[in-house]
Every structure is written in structure tokens, then in C-alpha cells.
Amino acid sequence: MKVIIASGADTPIYQQIFEQVSAQILNGDLPRDFCLPPIRTVAKELRISVITVKRAWEELERAGFIYTMVGKGCFVAPLDPQMLDVKKEVLVGDRLKKEIQYDKKLGLSLEELLALVKKYYEES
Amino acid sequence: MKVIIASGADTPIYQQIFEQVSAQILNGDLPRDFCLPPIRTVAKELRISVITVKRAWEELERAGFIYTMVGKGCFVAPLDPQMLDVKKEVLVGDRLKKEIQYDKKLGLSLEELLALVKKYYEES
Amino acid sequence: MKVIIASGADTPIYQQIFEQVSAQILNGDLPRDFCLPPIRTVAKELRISVITVKRAWEELERAGFIYTMVGKGCFVAPLDPQMLDVKKEVLVGDRLKKEIQYDKKLGLSLEELLALVKKYYEES
Amino acid sequence: MKVIIASGADTPIYQQIFEQVSAQILNGDLPRDFCLPPIRTVAKELRISVITVKRAWEELERAGFIYTMVGKGCFVAPLDPQMLDVKKEVLVGDRLKKEIQYDKKLGLSLEELLALVKKYYEES
DNA sequence: GTGGTCTAGACCACG
DNA sequence: GTGGTCTAGACCACT
């Protein structure tokens, strides 16, 4: 498990963690039943508050990415591949849709937009 | 000038206004030196506080989209076409880049992403 | 009499007029008993409201630079040379003092400041 | 951090705060990453509204003097010495230039002006 | 009439 | 605890 915090960013820290961990789960980088490190450890390593890590874990659990066994730790939930695609679409969908609507309102043509997307995808 | 507020959204109202008005300026819907309606009027029409409208106007002025003449009103700033493209790229660039990086991390291939973009663009 | 309005500036229009006309009087460009043009004419030439011109004239009269003869017009007041210096110091004093206090607080040494003043004086 | 409000002055309170705090940062009185007191505290001490303080903080952030970490506080931004001089010149330049142009128009000679500047500098 | 400033007080998101 | 947003309502300066 690997997380990098951008403390100056406008997205809250807990959400940054959520995005990165969920991405790694959907990716397959973190297999099912993988045991996440204890929140205190994560907090210490990232030099952030325990509360913030806990918040991220809560969001992950609510989204069905992990499950908690009291006294033992948090584990990656089993996801069948179909569920996986559904989750991807949900996670991507709203954000992407909003972004595209905005870009369209700005007067960007579909061609311009696709070109930008391609460019940014290859750059990153 | 036309603005629609989504009061349930997570983006602040003043930012929604900013996005919609700036989009209309970049679009060319609002010509240079066009006199925007007085903030009180807008506030009444949108059923929000005068201050919230003012906040949006301030951001627009700071971004160079409008200029204020105290006692007379607020007007669309003259933008040479080159500036226009720069502004578009700035406004779109950061947001879009972030979105795409996230999507990529989620494991989406370029093809999948482009298909989604196309779909959402045509839907909206 | 010659006045130039900077409509985008942060100093109000009536004050711009006040400053420029009073400067011309203190300069000697406008001799005593010189008859200022009627406010309507000034307003039309400068493309501003009559009210704004009237406001400037009022300030000038209150400061003792001009006097009004109802039905005839406004005229440059007679100023003995001593009064002139006093007025100069009053007009300059407060503004300059404030500016210098601020510059000093910013950490500018007297030498730096004098150099800047000299530079700006010769430039303008 | 030390701020004094002149409630009778014509410059808005938030700007007075901006000027004094930015001066202290440019001075070096406030080191980088120094944590400014919470806006509520400042408001209470200065006996002004929280909003007015916030407004000043916003201007400081926009000018690049401080940065905000939501939930943690506001901190003095790191400024390389070169940037520092640039900022000084910008902050001083426009105001001083305007002032001097006005003084010159009033008929003040360079010698008179320099003498006044020296006098006011030493007085304050 | 216009916008500019300031107030007091509320609620939410973040850590 | 922190700052971010929004509200309603007041007063002033400028045109």
C-alpha cells in the first residue's frame, strides 16, 4: 500500500487517501483480504492526524472496498470482477460527467476535448 | 446572462455562478462592455444573498473577465482572442488533467476513457 | 483648463478633477479671476455626469481655490503667494506622510527611498 | 504579529491589516511558516468582525504572502529574497509613483520634495 | 440608482 | 479546534 499526500492541494487529505487506496484495490495492486496497516502506523508515516486516516478508512468501508474486524484490523473486501466495473463507473462517472459538461459549456468541441484527454492521458 | 443554481451541489454557489458566467463570456454569449445586471437584481432573481453574488463578481473581476465602475455597474472586459484561448486552457487544463490522472490510476485504458468522454459529451 | 479622466483608476472621478484643477491653480497656469467653463460643458467634454463635475467644483470652493458668482460662473480665487505655499504643504503633507510611513514600515532605508523618489520624479 | 487599527481612517480596515502584516512579512519580522493567530482571535483582539479579518487574510493569500491549511491555520509563505524585492517594488512602486506625479504637478521642485521626504521619514 | 465596506451570527467541512 | 460558506441587514461613497 502506497499513499502520497499533497498537503497544499485543495482536495482534503482523507479524500486523497481514499482515492489512492481505492484505485489500488480496483487496480488489483491490493488483493482481497489484504490486511491494511493500522491507522496509527499510517498516520505516523504520513505525518497526519489519526482522525484523518480513520475518516479515509470509514469512507473506504462505506464504499465497500474494505471491511473491519474489530481487534484484528482492516482488510480488502472481495470484489467480483463485475462489481469492479460497476464501481469504476460510479467513481469515474459523476466526476467525469461534470467536468465534460463544464468543458462543453466553455465552447470546446468534442474533437478538441478528445485531443486534450488523449494528450493529458499520455503525459501523466 | 443566464445562471442556474444547484443548491444541493457540493460546489459553492459563488463558484457555480463564476463558472457559468465565465463560460458565457468565453463563449461569446456576452459581448465586451456588456453591462451585467446589478448584484441586487441577480440576488433577488436567484433567491440568494447579495453577498454571494458579489463574491462571484469579485472572482470574475480578479480573473479579468469583468471590470467594475463604482456607481455605474459591472461590465464584461475586452478580451483579445489570444487571451481567450489562454484562459480556456487554464480553466480547463488543471481540472481535466487531475480528472484524467485519477481515471488512469483507476486502471482505465485510454480507449475506455475516450469512449466515456464521447458518451458523456453527447449526452449532455 | 485641462483635465484628463482615468475611468479605470481607483481614485474617484471628482477627486481626479479636484487634483488636476487645484494643481493648475497652484502652478499658476490658471490666473486669479479666471472664469472656469460651465459644469455642463465640462461634463459633456469629459463624458461624465454633471453631478460629478459639480461635486469637484464644490470641493474646490470649500478648499478656497475658487469662488462662485451665482448666475455668472465660477472663478479662480485670489491667493497670496504665502497662502499658496501653505496650501501646497497641506495638500501634499498628509498623503506624502502616510506614504512614507508605509514605505518605512516595509523596511526601506532613507537612502533607498530618496533614490526611488528621485527616479520617479525624473521619469514623470 | 502586531496590528493597529485606525478606525477613523479612510482606508478600509481589511486593507490596513493587509498593509501591516505584509510589511512585517517583507521585513522579516514574521518568518516563513510562522503560524498566524486564528482569525477569531485576531478579530476579538482588534474588536472587529471575523469577516473583516478573513478578508484581510484572503488578500494576503492572494498576494502570495500566506498560505492556508484548512483545519490547521494560516502560515507565512516561503519567499525567496528575490521575490521579496519584487513584491516590495510592486507594493511601493505604484503608490509612490502616483504620489510623486501629483506632487510634481503641484509645482514642487525635486529639491523641495526630497527635503519633505527626508523630514517626514525622520519624524515617523 | 450603482458598488464597497462592515456587522453579527449561523452552519458545514476538515483535522 | 481550525477555516469556508452563506445569510440578512446596515451604512457609506460614487454617479
Side-chain angles (χ1 to χ4, degrees):
Chain A
M1 205 204 67
K2 199 175 160 183
V3 175
I4 298 169
I5 300 297
S7 48
D10 53 344
T11 45
I13 296 177
Y14 82 90
Q15 201 176 328
Q16 292 183 37
I17 300 177
F18 174 88
E19 288 179 359
Q20 295 183 44
V21 174
S22 63
Q24 288 170 54
I25 293 175
L26 288 171
N27 254 345
D29 284 0
L30 299 177
R32 58 175 286 181
D33 299 320
F34 175 84
C35 178
L36 296 175
I39 53 174
R40 278 163 236 259
T41 309
V42 178
K44 211 175 287 179
E45 281 178 1
L46 298 180
R47 301 225 224 117
I48 58 177
S49 166
V50 187
I51 301 177
T52 309
V53 182
K54 197 169 182 312
R55 173 85 189 265
W57 261 225
E58 281 169 7
E59 301 280 349
L60 285 166
E61 185 162 23
R62 201 177 318 146
F65 284 110
I66 65 174
Y67 61 91
T68 303
M69 292 183 67
V70 184
K72 291 188 139 177
C74 295
F75 304 85
V76 173
L79 296 166
D80 50 313
Q82 214 176 0
M83 262 316 272
L84 228 133
D85 283 340
V86 172
K87 276 193 182 303
K88 264 193 209 175
E89 183 147 352
V90 171
L91 279 177
V92 171
D94 285 347
R95 299 175 43 148
L96 192 53
K97 219 177 288 183
K98 247 193 210 166
E99 179 60 36
I100 290 172
Q101 282 172 358
Y102 177 61
D103 298 342
K104 194 177 178 183
K105 251 189 285 182
L106 233 55
L108 260 82
S109 70
L110 179 54
E111 287 70 37
E112 288 175 304
L113 186 55
L114 288 175
L116 275 177
V117 170
K118 190 153 177 265
K119 181 179 150 208
Y120 290 148
Y121 188 92
E122 287 166 349
E123 273 179 7
S124 67
Chain B
M1 206 205 66
K2 200 174 158 184
V3 175
I4 297 168
I5 299 298
S7 47
D10 52 344
T11 47
I13 297 178
Y14 77 89
Q15 202 176 327
Q16 294 183 36
I17 301 178
F18 174 88
E19 288 178 0
Q20 296 184 43
V21 175
S22 63
Q24 288 171 54
I25 293 176
L26 288 172
N27 254 344
D29 283 2
L30 300 177
R32 58 175 287 182
D33 298 319
F34 175 83
C35 180
L36 296 174
I39 50 176
R40 282 170 243 255
T41 308
V42 177
K44 215 174 282 177
E45 282 178 359
L46 298 180
R47 308 247 210 99
I48 57 177
S49 166
V50 188
I51 304 233
T52 308
V53 182
K54 192 178 181 307
R55 175 82 188 266
W57 261 227
E58 277 173 10
E59 302 281 352
L60 285 167
E61 182 163 25
R62 208 170 302 138
F65 285 110
I66 65 173
Y67 63 92
T68 302
M69 292 181 71
V70 182
K72 294 182 97 175
C74 295
F75 305 83
V76 172
L79 294 167
D80 46 319
Q82 215 176 0
M83 247 335 255
L84 227 133
D85 284 340
V86 172
K87 276 191 184 304
K88 261 192 208 176
E89 186 150 348
V90 170
L91 279 177
V92 171
D94 287 345
R95 301 173 44 148
L96 191 55
K97 220 176 284 182
K98 245 192 210 166
E99 179 61 36
I100 291 172
Q101 282 171 359
Y102 175 61
D103 298 342
K104 193 177 179 182
K105 248 188 284 180
L106 233 54
L108 273 167
S109 71
L110 179 54
E111 286 69 37
E112 287 175 304
L113 186 54
L114 289 175
L116 276 177
V117 170
K118 190 154 176 260
K119 180 181 150 207
Y120 291 147
Y121 188 92
E122 286 164 351
E123 272 179 7
S124 67
Chain C
M1 203 204 66
K2 200 175 158 183
V3 174
I4 298 168
I5 300 298
S7 49
D10 53 344
T11 45
I13 296 178
Y14 81 91
Q15 201 177 329
Q16 292 183 37
I17 301 177
F18 174 87
E19 287 179 0
Q20 295 184 43
V21 174
S22 63
Q24 288 171 52
I25 293 175
L26 289 171
N27 255 342
D29 283 1
L30 299 178
R32 59 175 289 182
D33 298 319
F34 175 85
C35 177
L36 296 174
I39 54 174
R40 277 165 237 259
T41 308
V42 177
K44 211 174 286 180
E45 280 179 2
L46 298 179
R47 300 225 225 118
I48 58 176
S49 166
V50 186
I51 301 178
T52 310
V53 183
K54 195 168 183 310
R55 173 83 189 266
W57 260 227
E58 280 170 10
E59 301 281 348
L60 285 166
E61 183 161 24
R62 200 176 321 143
F65 284 111
I66 65 174
Y67 62 92
T68 303
M69 291 182 66
V70 183
K72 291 188 139 179
C74 295
F75 303 85
V76 173
L79 295 167
D80 49 314
Q82 213 175 1
M83 259 318 269
L84 229 134
D85 284 340
V86 171
K87 276 193 184 301
K88 264 193 210 176
E89 182 146 353
V90 171
L91 279 177
V92 170
D94 285 346
R95 299 174 45 147
L96 192 54
K97 219 177 285 183
K98 246 193 209 166
E99 179 60 38
I100 289 172
Q101 282 172 357
Y102 177 62
D103 298 342
K104 194 177 179 183
K105 251 189 283 181
L106 232 54
L108 261 81
S109 71
L110 179 55
E111 286 71 36
E112 287 175 303
L113 185 54
L114 288 174
L116 276 178
V117 170
K118 190 152 176 271
K119 180 180 151 208
Y120 290 147
Y121 189 91
E122 287 166 350
E123 272 178 10
S124 68
Chain D
M1 208 206 63
K2 200 175 161 184
V3 175
I4 298 168
I5 300 296
S7 46
D10 54 343
T11 47
I13 296 178
Y14 78 89
Q15 201 176 327
Q16 293 183 36
I17 300 178
F18 174 88
E19 288 178 359
Q20 295 184 44
V21 175
S22 63
Q24 287 171 56
I25 292 175
L26 288 173
N27 253 345
D29 283 1
L30 300 177
R32 58 176 286 181
D33 298 319
F34 175 82
C35 179
L36 296 175
I39 51 177
R40 282 171 242 256
T41 308
V42 177
K44 215 174 282 177
E45 282 178 359
L46 298 180
R47 309 247 209 98
I48 58 176
S49 166
V50 188
I51 304 231
T52 308
V53 181
K54 194 181 180 307
R55 173 83 189 266
W57 260 227
E58 277 173 10
E59 302 281 353
L60 285 167
E61 182 164 24
R62 209 170 302 137
F65 284 112
I66 66 174
Y67 62 93
T68 302
M69 292 181 71
V70 181
K72 295 182 96 173
C74 295
F75 305 83
V76 172
L79 295 168
D80 45 319
Q82 215 175 359
M83 246 338 253
L84 227 133
D85 285 339
V86 172
K87 276 190 184 304
K88 261 193 210 176
E89 186 150 349
V90 170
L91 279 176
V92 170
D94 287 346
R95 301 173 44 147
L96 192 54
K97 222 176 285 184
K98 246 192 211 165
E99 179 60 36
I100 291 172
Q101 282 171 359
Y102 176 61
D103 299 341
K104 193 178 179 181
K105 251 189 284 182
L106 234 55
L108 273 166
S109 72
L110 179 55
E111 286 69 36
E112 287 175 303
L113 185 55
L114 289 175
L116 275 177
V117 170
K118 189 153 179 259
K119 180 179 151 207
Y120 290 147
Y121 189 93
E122 285 164 350
E123 272 178 7
S124 67

